[in-house]
Every structure is written in structure tokens, then in C-alpha cells.
Amino acid sequence: MSQGVNGFGPYFNVAPGTYPVRYTAIDNCNNQTVCNTTVKVKDCKLPTPYCKAGIVVELMVVDPPMVVVWAVDLNDNSFDNCPGTLKLSFSADVNDISHTYYCEDIGQQPVQIWVTDAAGNQDYC
């Protein structure tokens, strides 16, 4: 929403932030009063996570045999309603971005992929 917008709205594509609002009320005798306030727009909608399923990885031939899996590699086009970079992690901790698997982890390993938007909203799949 830009400065100087008149009318009753609705207003679309308003970025998060605090905006000044001026209300003017006029009666049939042309008496008027003005009220100034602010409106705070917040991003409260969770991002929409999509995960790849059934991923198969092989252990690398190193000592000890292992493989590193990154949360971003399991993302399948997650998105958000507001602009900004999405952070992908294996937990609510946005720094938990990789897991290392060893021989003792052979077999199915269920994981959660957490998606965090620029406002800090999170959801997972």
C-alpha cells in the first residue's frame, strides 16, 4: 500500500510493516473530524512445505562409510505467500540443515523437513 491511497479498500499485496492511516468523517452538515492512527500488517500465514518422499542414498566409501544429507535436497518446491528466502532444516532449529548417516543407520530413516519463512513462521512435512 503506498502513501496517499484514498478509498475504502480492500488493498492487496500489502507488504508487512506499519502504515499510517487517516480517517476523515463528514456529516450531512459538513462537520468533520479527523483521526490518525497506524495499522500494522504482519505475515502470520505458515509457509507451505512440500517434501520429496522415498529418497534412497548410498553410503560413500570412506572410513567410516557415511553420507551427508542436506534438508534442501529433500525440498519439493515449498513456498510462502510473502516474498523472502525460505530456510530449510531438519527441525525447528534453522541451523539444523544436514544429517550424517553411517552404517548403523542403514534402513528407513523418517525425517521432518521444516520450512521457515522470512517472518519466522514455520511448518514441516
Side-chain angles (χ1 to χ4, degrees):
M1 186 163 70
S2 63
Q3 297 289 344
V5 175
N6 292 316
F8 295 102
Y11 302 103
F12 299 98
N13 299 319
V14 178
T18 301
Y19 298 91
V21 177
R22 174 182 217 147
Y23 295 101
T24 303
I26 304 173
D27 66 15
N28 288 335
C29 297
N30 281 329
N31 297 310
Q32 72 176 17
T33 189
V34 174
C35 174
N36 293 303
T37 188
T38 58
V39 172
K40 186 170 187 175
V41 176
K42 291 174 54 176
D43 176 8
C44 296
K45 184 185 175 306
L46 302 180
T48 303
Y50 283 105
C51 294
K52 295 178 181 175
I55 301 298
V56 176
V57 295
E58 293 184 21
L59 299 178
M60 296 185 301
V61 183
V62 293
D63 189 19
M66 50 79 76
V67 65
V68 177
V69 177
W70 298 87
V72 68
D73 294 335
L74 302 179
N75 180 40
D76 195 14
N77 295 314
S78 300
F79 65 92
D80 191 41
N81 63 320
C82 288
T85 302
L86 295 177
K87 295 180 181 177
L88 299 155
S89 56
F90 284 106
S91 68
D93 176 356
V94 296
N95 297 308
D96 184 14
I97 59 174
S98 68
H99 277 180
T100 302
Y101 295 96
Y102 300 93
C103 288
E104 57 268 17
D105 299 311
I106 289 176
Q108 289 189 358
Q109 299 295 322
V111 296
Q112 293 179 344
I113 302 303
W114 285 71
V115 180
T116 305
D117 68 16
N121 299 312
Q122 295 182 309
D123 203 358
Y124 65 90
C125 52

